[in-house]
């Protein structure tokens, strides 16, 4: 993937519905070049698809945050199974560095968010955690 492909992907992240004409004008390329690059990116599997973000989806979880979790010993798989069973846990990521996993949490109120955090902190094997609330998006994909 070269710089032009990265610029095309950035433009598509801003507006996946942009026309070929709009993309070509924004990127300073011909429509044929834009179409060819998009087809190549899709064929190689770099672009898997396009999505629509609905307003209601952004309102579904008005309280969202990331919980970094430190796990004692070899209990990671067991902890992940527990987290997968919690309705407020949206995604679970493996990571490197100080934390063993990161959980993305979404709830409708601060109270239910706090209840979820407490439930996670009580799991056997969790030795440390740090949580950051997500306040506002500065870049929408």
């Amino acid at each position: 993937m070269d710089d032009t492909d990265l610029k095309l992907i950035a433009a598509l992240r801003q507006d996946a519905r942009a026309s070929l004409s709009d993309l070509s004008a924004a990127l300073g390329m011909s429509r044929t070049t834009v179409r060819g690059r998009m087809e190549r990116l899709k064929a190689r599997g770099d672009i898997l698809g396009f999505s629509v973000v609905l307003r209601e989806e952004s309102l579904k979880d008005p309280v969202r945050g990331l919980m970094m979790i430190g796990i004692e010993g070899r209990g990671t798989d067991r902890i992940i199974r527990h987290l997968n069973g919690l309705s407020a846990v949206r995604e679970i990521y493996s990571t490197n560095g100080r934390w063993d996993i990161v959980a993305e949490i979404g709830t409708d109120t601060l109270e239910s968010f706090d209840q979820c955090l407490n439930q996670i902190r009580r799991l056997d094997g969790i030795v440390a955690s740090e949580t950051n609330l997500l306040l506002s998006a500065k870049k929408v994909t």
Side-chain angles (χ1 to χ4, degrees):
M1 208 179 304
D2 63 15
D3 286 341
T4 304
D5 289 336
L6 294 174
K7 288 177 185 174
L8 174 57
I9 289 170
L12 289 169
R13 281 187 170 147
Q14 287 208 321
D15 184 3
R17 292 186 50 199
S19 68
L20 289 175
S21 297
D22 290 341
L23 290 168
S24 65
L27 299 171
M29 295 186 272
S30 72
R31 289 180 42 170
T32 305
T33 301
V34 170
R35 180 182 310 138
R37 284 185 175 264
M38 285 178 65
E39 292 302 321
R40 186 174 41 98
L41 289 167
K42 287 191 288 186
R44 285 192 338 216
D46 293 323
I47 293 178
L48 298 178
F50 300 88
S51 65
V52 174
V53 178
L54 301 175
R55 182 175 183 272
E56 63 200 35
E57 289 173 355
S58 67
L59 299 175
K60 178 180 157 190
D61 292 329
V63 180
R64 294 181 29 237
L66 299 175
M67 183 180 200
M68 286 66 71
I69 301 170
I71 300 171
E72 178 179 55
R74 299 178 188 201
T76 303
D77 291 338
R78 181 180 49 79
I79 298 291
I80 289 173
R81 281 194 304 276
H82 281 287
L83 293 176
N84 275 316
L86 299 176
S87 62
V89 175
R90 301 294 175 243
E91 298 283 342
I92 302 168
Y93 303 95
S94 60
T95 186
N96 67 335
R98 177 177 178 202
W99 304 106
D100 297 301
I101 56 176
V102 175
E104 182 180 342
I105 300 168
T107 64
D108 56 347
T109 66
L110 276 172
E111 182 180 0
S112 56
F113 189 87
D114 186 45
Q115 289 170 354
C116 180
L117 295 181
N118 288 328
Q119 192 173 10
I120 293 171
R121 288 182 185 127
R122 287 193 305 266
L123 292 174
D124 285 336
I126 293 185
V127 293
S129 69
E130 179 179 316
T131 304
N132 293 298
L133 286 174
L134 301 174
L135 301 176
S136 64
K138 302 302 182 194
K139 178 181 179 185
V140 179
T141 59

